[in-house]
């Protein structure tokens, strides 16, 4: 029986490595961040890592149908790949996706098809994504938000969305870091 990550990495690589090598590096970096916070995830550590490596597959040219990558990726995982439902839901809702969905007129569709996972997992995936550069290296959420806004332009849909999401992105990061700090203080 394959583990979830043994299934997720080759799938993400097959969809992203060739057409979008930089996006593939980002996904590998996000998965690496997931491993660094595994101590606060318990039994959900592998689930988060799988979602992390898959979170941006909706950008793959063959999957991009709506132009909204969380929805496109989640639909592929559900309808084609037969993925674990929790992985699908995490991909669908990663990094404040509901705010971008709202800006695109897709919020009802997103939330109607994909229920959200627990807040601790959504926080964790947002933390991992927003603390990873497009090249897969570690960063911080302020620099990451600035990079996204700069890449897309401040007045673009993405630029506007990411600035609107910034307080929640920072709050997610804070909550995850508080959990990691508390876990490290616990006696062995």
């Amino acid at each position: 029986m394959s583990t979830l990550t043994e299934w997720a990495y080759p799938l993400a690589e097959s969809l992203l490595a060739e057409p979008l090598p930089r996006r593939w590096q980002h996904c590998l970096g996000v998965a690496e961040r997931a491993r660094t916070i595994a101590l606060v995830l318990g039994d959900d550590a592998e689930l988060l890592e799988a979602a992390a490596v898959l979170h941006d597959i909706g950008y793959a040219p063959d999957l991009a149908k709506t132009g909204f990558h969380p929805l496109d990726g989640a639909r592929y995982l559900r309808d084609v790949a037969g993925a674990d439902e929790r992985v699908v839901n995490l991909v669908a809702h990663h990094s404040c996706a509901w705010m971008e969905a709202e800006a695109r007129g897709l919020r009802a569709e997103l939330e109607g098809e994909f229920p959200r996972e627990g807040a601790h997992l959504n926080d964790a995936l947002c933390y991992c994504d927003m603390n990873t550069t497009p090249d897969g290296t570690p960063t911080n959420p302020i620099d990451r938000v600035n990079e996204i806004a700069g890449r897309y332009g401040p007045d673009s849909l993405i630029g506007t969305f990411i600035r609107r999401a910034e307080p929640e992105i920072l709050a997610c990061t804070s909550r995850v870091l508080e959990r990691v700090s508390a876990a490290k203080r616990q006696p062995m």
Side-chain angles (χ1 to χ4, degrees):
M1 172 75 101
S2 289
T3 66
L4 200 50
T5 53
E6 287 173 338
W7 168 83
Y9 277 87
L11 177 60
E13 182 177 23
S14 73
L15 294 166
L16 295 173
E18 189 176 312
L20 302 169
R22 190 172 189 217
R23 184 72 58 187
W24 170 234
Q25 289 305 308
H26 169 71
C27 289
L28 288 173
V30 174
E32 185 179 327
R33 297 297 91 62
R35 288 190 300 277
T36 70
I37 61 168
L39 74 154
V40 299
L41 298 170
D43 292 341
D44 289 332
E46 185 181 24
L47 173 75
L48 182 72
E49 185 178 347
V53 79
L54 291 164
H55 81 284
D56 273 354
I57 63 167
Y59 282 113
D62 293 342
L63 274 59
K65 306 295 184 217
T66 68
F68 179 47
H69 77 278
L71 187 58
D72 292 337
R75 284 177 172 165
Y76 174 84
L77 289 170
R78 179 192 64 200
D79 300 341
V80 178
D84 178 285
E85 182 179 4
R86 296 181 73 204
V87 170
V88 172
N89 294 336
L90 284 167
V91 168
H93 291 282
H94 77 271
S95 302
C96 304
W98 70 269
M99 288 185 194
E100 184 180 345
E102 188 171 79
R104 292 177 179 274
L106 295 170
R107 184 171 177 183
E109 209 168 324
L110 177 71
E111 292 179 344
E113 287 185 50
F114 303 103
R116 288 188 195 179
E117 285 297 314
H120 75 287
L121 286 172
N122 282 312
D123 281 357
L125 186 51
C126 183
Y127 165 86
C128 295
D129 189 16
M130 293 296 136
N131 282 277
T132 305
T133 69
D135 298 314
T137 59
T139 190
N140 64 74
I142 293 171
D143 288 347
R144 178 77 165 120
V145 166
N146 288 337
E147 180 277 323
I148 293 168
R151 183 167 20 119
Y152 288 94
D155 297 327
S156 68
L157 185 141
I158 301 297
T160 302
F161 145 71
I162 203 68
R163 288 294 180 206
R164 182 171 168 235
E166 186 172 17
E168 182 56 23
I169 290 166
L170 296 175
C172 288
T173 294
S174 180
R175 289 187 294 264
V176 170
L177 291 175
E178 286 171 15
R179 285 195 295 275
V180 169
S181 179
K184 288 181 176 180
R185 288 192 304 268
Q186 296 298 316
M188 299 292 254

